[in-house]
Structure formats: C-alpha cells, structure tokens
Amino acid sequence: MIKNFIKGLLFGSVLGGGLGLLFAPRSGNDTRRKLSLSLEEATRTQEDLNRSLKRFTNSAKETQTLITKMIPELMTGLQKDIEAFQFQAEPRIKRIQKQAEVLNEHIAQLETAKKHE
C-alpha cells in the first residue's frame, strides 16, 4: 500500500511538472528552478516516508517479539487464576445447593400444610 502511494506520488510529481512546463506563463529559467525545487521536495518526502516506514516496521517487529514473550506468561497466570477460582467456588456452590435443598423441603412442608388445612 505504501509502495503504491510512493509510486502515485512520484507519478503525480512528474505529471504535474510536465503539465506545468506546458502551461506555465513563466520563463524557462523560472520554470526549471521551480521544477527543481518540486523534485527536491518530492525526494525529501519520499525519504521521510521511507524512514517512517522503517521505524514502523521496527516497532511492529518489537511488538511482535514482546507479545510472543508475554502470551505464555499470560496464559500461565490465567490458568492459575482459574484454578484458584474453582478451588474457592466449589465449597460455595455446595453450600448454595444445600440451602436450596433446605428451601425446597420447607416449600414442600408448607404446601403439605396448606393441603391439610
């Protein structure tokens, strides 16, 4: 995508320069000077883009390396957290189930008492 942008930028610069030569009301020296400045600016822009692309590529590689190192540690930590949660949750679930059984017994007793009334 960046390569296409750079190609388009260069093509546009050349095309613009050529059209400028054809339709310019300036003298030849002025036109050449302006064309030279435009080409220098396009060259600087391309160099800036290349430096930016190189920095971006290096940053992406560093990020990938960091993520590759962090994922196993993250997975180990998550596994430990899940195991700890399960260990803590099991007794609570059993207590809740016992309380639900007691409530169901009370409801059954109340329904039986209502039927006998």
Side-chain angles (χ1 to χ4, degrees):
M1 187 162 143
I2 297 291
K3 289 181 182 180
N4 290 338
F5 175 75
I6 293 171
K7 286 178 186 177
L9 182 66
L10 291 175
F11 178 75
S13 297
V14 170
L15 182 64
L19 290 174
L21 287 174
L22 292 175
F23 297 107
R26 294 182 204 76
S27 69
N29 286 335
D30 289 342
T31 302
R32 281 189 293 277
R33 189 171 29 253
K34 185 165 175 75
L35 180 61
S36 175
L37 291 174
S38 295
L39 288 175
E40 287 174 10
E41 184 178 340
T43 302
R44 282 193 305 272
T45 302
Q46 180 183 3
E47 290 169 354
D48 288 345
L49 286 172
N50 286 339
R51 280 192 298 274
S52 295
L53 181 60
K54 192 172 188 175
R55 282 193 304 266
F56 175 77
T57 302
N58 290 337
S59 295
K61 286 178 183 177
E62 289 175 14
T63 302
Q64 181 181 11
T65 301
L66 181 63
I67 287 173
T68 302
K69 288 179 183 178
M70 289 180 64
I71 285 178
E73 294 174 16
L74 179 64
M75 292 301 291
T76 301
L78 285 174
Q79 185 64 35
K80 287 180 181 178
D81 289 345
I82 290 170
E83 290 170 0
F85 177 77
Q86 286 175 336
F87 178 75
Q88 294 172 1
E90 286 178 12
R92 292 177 183 163
I93 292 171
K94 288 179 183 176
R95 282 196 309 261
I96 291 170
Q97 287 173 339
K98 286 181 184 177
Q99 289 175 351
E101 290 173 7
V102 169
L103 287 173
N104 284 333
E105 288 174 12
H106 287 298
I107 290 171
Q109 289 173 358
L110 286 173
E111 288 176 353
T112 304
K114 278 189 176 183
K115 288 181 184 176
H116 292 316
E117 289 181 359

